[in-house]
Amino acid sequence: MCWCTALAAAPVAGGRWPPPFSRRRQSSIRAETPPGAEARRKKVAVAGAGWAGLAAAHHLVKQVSLLVLVPDHSYSYRLPAFRFVAPRTLSCGAIRAHRQLARRRAAACLLLLFVVTRDTMSRFSRRTAAQGRRSVSEAEFPVFHDQPRLPAPFGIFAYPEFPSLPLIDRLTSIPVLSAVIDFDNTDTAWRKYDTITARQLFKMFGCSQRLYKEIFEPAIQAALFAPGEQCSAAATLGMLYYYMLSRQENSDFVLCRGEVEDAIFSPWLKTLEQNGIKFIANRVPTSLTINKDTECVSEVVCGEEVYDTDAFVLATGLSPLQSIIRNSPFLQSRQEFTDLLHLSTIDVISVKLWFDKKVTIPKVANICSSFDDLSGWTFFDLTSVYDDYSDEPGTVVEAEFYNASHLFPLNDQQIVSEASSCLIKCIGDFEGSTVIQQFVKRSPGSAMHFLPGSYKHTVRGTTSIPNLFIAGDWIVNRHGSFSKEKAYVTGLEAANMTVDYFGDGDFAKIIAVEGDEPHIETVRDLNRRANELKTQIPFSEFFLQ
């Protein structure tokens, strides 16, 4: 499914811990325990303390000796929006554990981890906005969970409101639906559609110019972080599946009712630390030591510090992995790793602004694009979402700008001015208000860029190095998850791969995503049969595919 939003992490409160693993010279990773000797507890290093890294650590903590390396950036911690997913996607044990965490933080909501309250859901909606020459075009998407359930895709067509989009434009989305149905998340589907751009896909299926500009382009820029002409059609179809074909309520998102780091990650980190995990703050792996006899990772190198490990889970995103590859001649000798150097990342800037007056924002979550030709952005009305801000005399807004490398040379004040200008274009009431407090966070290379042709260079959770496992929402997997849910699931998958490698321990139970509705399965099956018949037509291989 669509790879989305690269993971990052934040420094752990409480200072640094001493390296918990004594340095050990290279030796066989799978050595047999001498007769009569007590089995040594395996040591696992996890790089990254985001959704994927902590998911792996959470499952492995009772089974191995764990070290978690925490990078010094915090993009994934700041994102306040999460896709609504029923708790059934987690094991019962994990749900119980995180519900206990949630009860300690009444302000917390959850994607996968915490109980989502009805109140949190009812205060969330989405709006896309595209800036034209004279006016702002809007479309409103309701909380589908609150609407009578209709068979897919009728809910996505019936409930959203398009006040300025003619019916004829909306009808041109129907041919696009056939491509969404055809995309079944298989390797064949990815390779078929990954060779073209998202814009070429919509042009091929007859999407109107206005529908693309006002609806699809903002969605692509917000979900895939770049304009449609720079994004893979396969990644776009993976994203559209959740908005058009998945069961109606799965399209919903929820908002955390407080800072994500405070409400979710900090208590989670403390719980894991109490269970014996050692966190090393502000550490990013720079290279790996490979045992020449076993071709396994024996040490993780972070600058001048070296940590012994029996297995390594890398869950920090693409950029750190590319740095490791560039510093490792052994990894550069493997095609699967040099392929990763062909992949690209996207810069993200987060801006939180405190305004001096109350501003009426119709919807708390807004997806915007077309204010320039490069970047999409979102903004959230935190005054209406965060419990701590409900009594603020002014308005608190958080905006996130994607594909924002052109903004990086600006200083903080210039970025704040740019963000304020964009807000005024969307909400005229911001005119005349003053920013009294600000926070700007630059996250270079923090998101995966799904360029056409990227799929053939991506990696799965396992590698040719037996004890190196990769997790995150940018890798290839077949579970069918999306965004942070996918990151969490791949973290559990990495934990299971680690258990399987050691040949000892308990596997995490990963429940399959709810399948497509019967009529969607029927249409997809008919489409497959039609494609099979086409291949049997004489001279079918004569024409360019």
Side-chain angles (χ1 to χ4, degrees):
M1 194 47 61
C2 174
W3 332 307
C4 232
T5 312
L7 290 177
V12 177
R16 300 183 179 181
W17 293 268
F21 296 166
S22 60
R23 178 164 180 158
R24 174 175 52 84
R25 302 316 304 166
Q26 297 176 8
S27 60
S28 175
I29 298 296
R30 302 297 295 276
E32 295 292 334
T33 303
E38 183 179 352
R40 176 180 63 84
R41 200 176 194 201
K42 300 296 185 182
K43 295 182 290 190
V44 177
V46 177
W51 296 100
L54 293 189
H58 183 89
H59 181 71
L60 292 172
V61 63
K62 299 277 179 72
Q63 307 184 58
V64 298
S65 180
L66 271 171
L67 160 72
V68 177
L69 304 168
V70 185
D72 59 352
H73 44 82
S74 56
Y75 174 59
S76 70
Y77 284 7
R78 296 202 53 77
L79 294 175
F82 308 96
R83 192 171 74 87
F84 173 71
V85 183
R88 65 182 296 279
T89 55
L90 283 184
S91 67
C92 293
I95 292 172
R96 283 195 298 270
H98 292 297
R99 279 180 176 167
Q100 292 172 2
L101 264 179
R103 279 195 286 270
R104 283 188 246 147
R105 296 290 306 213
C109 76
L110 95 121
L111 161 79
L112 298 173
L113 303 179
F114 294 163
V115 177
V116 181
T117 66
R118 192 73 169 177
D119 177 63
T120 305
M121 290 293 297
S122 65
R123 292 198 290 175
F124 181 80
S125 183
R126 289 191 305 279
R127 181 179 69 169
T128 59
Q131 176 68 25
R133 291 184 177 179
R134 297 181 180 178
S135 62
V136 174
S137 300
E138 298 178 3
E140 228 172 80
F141 291 81
V143 180
F144 292 100
H145 193 75
D146 294 335
Q147 303 292 337
R149 181 164 172 170
L150 299 177
F154 297 106
I156 194 67
F157 287 125
Y159 295 130
E161 298 180 12
F162 306 94
S164 61
L165 191 65
L167 178 61
I168 187 65
D169 289 282
R170 282 181 272 167
L171 291 176
T172 64
S173 65
I174 295 177
V176 178
L177 183 61
S178 64
V180 181
I181 292 175
D182 183 48
F183 186 83
D184 57 1
N185 198 38
T186 61
D187 183 73
T188 300
W190 274 98
R191 293 183 182 278
K192 175 181 178 180
Y193 288 102
D194 195 52
T195 58
I196 61 175
T197 69
R199 193 179 189 283
Q200 289 172 323
L201 174 77
F202 288 104
K203 181 179 179 180
M204 184 188 308
F205 284 89
C207 177
S208 77
Q209 173 85 357
R210 190 166 179 178
L211 176 65
Y212 176 75
K213 285 291 184 182
E214 297 184 10
I215 304 300
F216 287 120
E217 187 173 59
I220 293 170
Q221 289 191 325
L224 301 182
F225 317 116
E229 57 268 24
Q230 298 178 15
C231 289
S232 157
T236 301
L237 289 172
M239 177 267 294
L240 288 178
Y241 168 83
Y242 281 95
Y243 293 99
M244 300 180 75
L245 283 190
S246 66
R247 300 188 183 248
Q248 184 176 299
E249 60 270 26
N250 288 349
S251 298
D252 282 330
F253 282 71
V254 295
L255 294 175
C256 187
R257 295 174 61 183
E259 292 287 354
V260 174
E261 182 175 358
D262 295 338
I264 297 178
F265 281 97
S266 290
W268 197 7
L269 290 167
K270 290 176 182 177
T271 299
L272 292 176
E273 185 185 2
Q274 291 169 0
N275 287 334
I277 291 181
K278 302 297 183 182
F279 290 95
I280 308 297
N282 302 326
R283 293 293 183 276
V284 178
T286 53
S287 65
L288 304 175
T289 301
I290 307 297
N291 184 301
K292 294 181 180 179
D293 296 329
T294 63
E295 294 193 341
C296 291
V297 177
S298 60
E299 296 171 333
V300 179
V301 181
C302 299
E304 296 181 355
E305 298 182 12
V306 179
Y307 305 97
D308 289 350
T309 186
D310 294 316
F312 179 47
V313 176
L314 193 141
T316 56
L318 175 61
S319 293
L321 177 55
Q322 289 177 325
S323 297
I324 293 173
I325 294 170
R326 293 187 184 100
N327 292 327
S328 173
F330 181 86
L331 296 183
Q332 291 181 33
S333 69
R334 304 287 179 97
Q335 185 67 43
E336 64 183 309
F337 293 106
T338 56
D339 280 348
L340 292 173
L341 298 178
H342 294 287
L343 298 177
S344 300
T345 57
I346 284 176
D347 300 330
V348 178
I349 290 180
S350 300
V351 185
K352 184 183 287 189
L353 303 174
W354 285 258
F355 290 91
D356 62 347
K357 72 172 187 177
K358 284 287 186 182
V359 176
T360 301
I361 304 176
K363 303 299 174 184
V364 298
N366 304 269
I367 302 171
C368 312
S369 72
S370 298
F371 294 146
D372 57 52
D373 295 330
L374 298 172
S375 59
W377 61 291
T378 61
F379 71 93
F380 304 89
D381 177 15
L382 300 188
T383 314
S384 300
V385 178
Y386 285 10
D387 293 339
D388 292 344
Y389 295 154
S390 59
D391 297 327
E392 284 279 336
T395 304
V396 185
V397 174
E398 180 162 350
E400 292 165 357
F401 293 87
Y402 315 115
N403 204 24
S405 56
H406 62 294
L407 298 177
F408 267 57
L410 304 180
N411 60 39
D412 285 2
Q413 192 55 51
Q414 290 171 322
I415 292 174
V416 168
S417 297
E418 181 73 16
S420 299
S421 175
C422 290
L423 286 170
I424 291 172
K425 292 176 182 178
C426 271
I427 308 292
D429 287 349
F430 277 106
E431 186 77 53
S433 60
T434 301
V435 176
I436 57 176
Q437 187 178 341
Q438 64 194 45
F439 175 83
V440 177
K441 177 67 178 180
R442 295 170 176 81
S443 302
S446 59
M448 171 77 176
H449 190 180
F450 308 103
L451 283 164
S454 295
Y455 178 76
K456 64 178 179 288
H457 298 303
T458 51
V459 67
R460 288 165 173 75
T462 56
T463 69
S464 60
I465 298 178
N467 67 339
L468 170 60
F469 311 107
I470 301 175
D473 55 1
W474 62 277
I475 72 170
V476 177
N477 82 333
R478 300 302 175 203
H479 180 266
S481 310
F482 180 74
S483 191
K484 297 171 184 64
E485 176 193 359
K486 179 176 179 180
Y488 190 89
V489 168
T490 58
L492 294 181
E493 289 176 339
N496 286 346
M497 295 170 193
T498 304
V499 170
D500 184 60
Y501 169 73
F502 290 143
D504 182 39
D506 299 322
F507 291 101
K509 182 179 180 182
I510 303 174
I511 302 175
V513 172
E514 191 175 14
D516 289 322
E517 295 173 69
H519 64 284
I520 298 296
E521 288 283 7
T522 300
V523 173
R524 183 170 286 150
D525 184 60
L526 291 174
N527 185 68
R528 288 196 195 101
R529 294 185 182 184
N531 289 333
E532 290 172 1
L533 288 174
K534 285 168 61 178
T535 62
Q536 298 174 14
I537 297 176
F539 308 111
S540 61
E541 296 181 359
F542 176 79
F543 297 100
L544 180 67
Q545 299 295 313

